[in-house]
Amino acid sequence: DIQMTQSPSTLSASVGDRVTLTCRASQSISSWLAWYQQKPGRAPKLLIYKASRLESGVPSRFSGSGSGTEFTLTISSLQPDDFATYYCQQYDTYYTFGQGTKLEIK
Amino acid sequence: EVQLLESGGGLVQPGGSLRLSCAASGFTFSSYAMSWVRQAPGKGLEWVSALSDDADSTYHADSVKGRFTISRDNSRNTLYLQMNTLRAEDTAVYFCAKAYSSGYVFFDSWGQGTLVTVSS
């Protein structure tokens, strides 16, 4: 089974900061990686797919990069609405989610 | 607009059974693979089961294999999850999720979830 590991587990940041979240796969998944944002009590929302493709309607301050086993999600300038939990997901072989990174206000 | 509406959750005793439903609208249901994903209280997301667009192939996570069965009725635009021999660790919010295509790819739409509580 493919394992996904996200770091850090929690990230404290301020509005306007540039932040980078990391996701590592236990084996190569090419670019078959998605990123989701989830707020408390809500369903996850797709942000990025195929490692770097921005979902329609998602602000351009979100960007994804990486391939193989190392991936990042970058938010160029944090907005108040961005404080949430972020999950990566591989879809190379069935599906596996990372454990999540909680982005909190400093 | 894509809409996914889960139902069927509730309180069940350990060893019991429950069937979840997910009513889909706003897209051609029979053209897309579908999945169930769960989230235990305060925990992360866990993929549970996936089903091809034509229902010919199914996949289940090891944690539910042999106990859960995913199915669909394309004539009713509805996805199901039959859950048997339920355990306390199956307690979670269960989301249905639409794949971006007929294949097993990322999820572009999610329902709001239905809570399953397994407790005596």
Side-chain angles (χ1 to χ4, degrees), chain A residues 4-9 21-24 35-36 85-89 97-102:
Chain A
M4 305 300 292
T5 304
Q6 291 185 241
S7 60
S9 296
L21 286 58
T22 299
C23 177
R24 290 186 173 86
W35 289 95
Y36 301 87
T85 300
Y86 293 83
Y87 294 94
C88 64
Q89 177 207 35
F97 290 94
Q99 81 279 15
T101 291
K102 183 178 181 180

Coordinates of all heavy atoms in Angstrom, one line a residue, chain A residues 4-9 21-24 35-36 85-89 97-102:
Chain A
M4 N 1.1 8.0 2.6 CA 1.3 9.5 2.3 C 1.5 10.2 3.6 O 0.8 10.0 4.6 CB 0.0 10.1 1.7 CG -0.4 9.4 0.4 SD 0.8 9.4 -0.9 CE 0.9 11.1 -1.3
T5 N 2.6 10.9 3.7 CA 3.0 11.6 4.9 C 3.1 13.1 4.7 O 3.8 13.6 3.8 CB 4.4 11.1 5.4 OG1 4.3 9.7 5.6 CG2 4.7 11.8 6.7
Q6 N 2.3 13.9 5.5 CA 2.3 15.3 5.3 C 3.1 16.0 6.5 O 3.1 15.5 7.6 CB 0.8 15.8 5.4 CG 0.0 15.4 4.1 CD -1.4 16.1 4.1 OE1 -2.4 15.3 4.1 NE2 -1.4 17.4 4.1
S7 N 3.7 17.1 6.2 CA 4.4 17.8 7.2 C 4.3 19.3 6.9 O 4.2 19.7 5.7 CB 5.9 17.4 7.3 OG 6.5 17.7 6.0
P8 N 4.2 20.2 7.9 CA 4.1 19.8 9.3 C 2.6 19.3 9.6 O 1.8 19.5 8.7 CB 4.4 21.0 10.1 CG 3.9 22.1 9.2 CD 4.2 21.6 7.8
S9 N 2.4 18.8 10.8 CA 1.0 18.5 11.2 C 0.2 19.7 11.4 O -1.0 19.8 11.2 CB 1.0 17.6 12.4 OG 1.6 16.3 12.1
L21 N 3.3 23.6 2.3 CA 2.9 22.4 2.9 C 3.5 21.3 2.1 O 3.6 21.3 0.8 CB 1.4 22.2 3.0 CG 0.6 23.0 4.0 CD1 0.8 24.5 3.8 CD2 -0.9 22.6 3.9
T22 N 4.0 20.2 2.8 CA 4.7 19.1 2.1 C 4.0 17.8 2.2 O 3.3 17.5 3.2 CB 6.1 19.0 2.6 OG1 6.9 20.2 2.4 CG2 6.9 17.8 2.0
C23 N 4.0 17.0 1.2 CA 3.4 15.7 1.1 C 4.4 14.7 0.5 O 4.9 15.0 -0.6 CB 2.1 15.8 0.4 SG 1.3 14.2 0.1
R24 N 4.7 13.6 1.2 CA 5.6 12.6 0.6 C 4.9 11.3 0.5 O 4.2 10.8 1.4 CB 6.8 12.5 1.6 CG 7.8 13.6 1.6 CD 9.0 13.4 2.4 NE 10.0 14.5 2.3 CZ 10.0 15.6 3.0 NH1 9.0 15.7 4.0 NH2 10.9 16.5 2.9
W35 N -4.8 17.8 -3.9 CA -4.8 18.5 -2.6 C -6.3 19.0 -2.4 O -6.9 19.5 -3.3 CB -3.9 19.8 -2.6 CG -2.5 19.5 -2.6 CD1 -1.6 19.4 -3.7 CD2 -1.6 19.3 -1.5 NE1 -0.3 19.2 -3.3 CE2 -0.3 19.1 -1.9 CE3 -1.9 19.3 -0.1 CZ2 0.8 18.9 -1.1 CZ3 -0.8 19.1 0.8 CH2 0.5 18.9 0.3
Y36 N -6.7 18.9 -1.1 CA -8.0 19.3 -0.7 C -7.9 20.2 0.5 O -7.0 20.0 1.3 CB -8.9 18.1 -0.3 CG -9.1 17.1 -1.4 CD1 -8.2 16.0 -1.6 CD2 -10.2 17.1 -2.3 CE1 -8.4 15.1 -2.6 CE2 -10.4 16.2 -3.3 CZ -9.5 15.2 -3.4 OH -9.6 14.3 -4.4
T85 N -7.8 22.8 7.3 CA -6.9 21.7 7.2 C -6.8 21.2 5.8 O -7.8 21.2 5.0 CB -7.5 20.5 8.1 OG1 -7.6 20.9 9.4 CG2 -6.6 19.3 8.0
Y86 N -5.6 20.9 5.4 CA -5.3 20.5 4.0 C -4.8 19.1 4.0 O -4.0 18.6 4.8 CB -4.2 21.4 3.5 CG -4.7 22.9 3.3 CD1 -4.7 23.7 4.4 CD2 -5.2 23.3 2.1 CE1 -5.2 25.0 4.3 CE2 -5.7 24.6 2.0 CZ -5.7 25.4 3.1 OH -6.2 26.7 2.9
Y87 N -5.4 18.3 3.0 CA -5.0 16.9 2.8 C -4.5 16.7 1.4 O -5.0 17.2 0.4 CB -6.2 16.0 3.0 CG -6.8 16.0 4.4 CD1 -7.9 16.9 4.7 CD2 -6.4 15.1 5.3 CE1 -8.4 16.9 6.0 CE2 -6.9 15.1 6.6 CZ -7.9 16.0 6.9 OH -8.4 15.9 8.2
C88 N -3.4 15.9 1.3 CA -3.0 15.4 0.0 C -3.6 14.0 -0.2 O -4.0 13.3 0.8 CB -1.5 15.4 -0.1 SG -0.6 14.3 1.0
Q89 N -3.7 13.6 -1.4 CA -4.3 12.3 -1.8 C -3.6 11.7 -3.0 O -3.5 12.5 -4.0 CB -5.8 12.4 -2.1 CG -6.5 11.2 -2.5 CD -7.7 11.4 -3.4 OE1 -7.7 12.4 -4.2 NE2 -8.7 10.6 -3.3
F97 N -5.0 9.0 1.6 CA -4.9 10.4 2.0 C -3.7 10.5 3.0 O -3.4 9.6 3.7 CB -6.1 10.9 2.7 CG -7.3 11.0 1.9 CD1 -8.2 10.0 1.7 CD2 -7.6 12.2 1.2 CE1 -9.4 10.1 0.9 CE2 -8.7 12.4 0.4 CZ -9.6 11.3 0.2
G98 N -3.1 11.7 3.0 CA -2.2 12.1 4.1 C -3.0 12.4 5.3 O -4.2 12.4 5.3
Q99 N -2.3 12.5 6.4 CA -2.9 12.7 7.7 C -3.4 14.1 7.9 O -4.1 14.4 8.9 CB -2.0 12.3 8.9 CG -1.0 13.4 9.3 CD 0.2 13.4 8.4 OE1 0.3 12.9 7.3 NE2 1.3 14.1 8.9
G100 N -3.0 15.0 7.0 CA -3.5 16.4 7.1 C -2.5 17.4 7.7 O -1.7 17.0 8.6
T101 N -2.6 18.6 7.3 CA -1.9 19.7 7.9 C -2.9 20.8 8.3 O -3.6 21.3 7.4 CB -0.8 20.4 6.9 OG1 0.2 19.5 6.7 CG2 -0.3 21.7 7.5
K102 N -2.9 21.1 9.6 CA -3.9 22.1 10.1 C -3.1 23.5 10.0 O -2.1 23.7 10.6 CB -4.3 21.8 11.5 CG -5.3 22.9 12.0 CD -5.8 22.5 13.4 CE -6.8 23.5 13.9 NZ -7.3 23.1 15.3

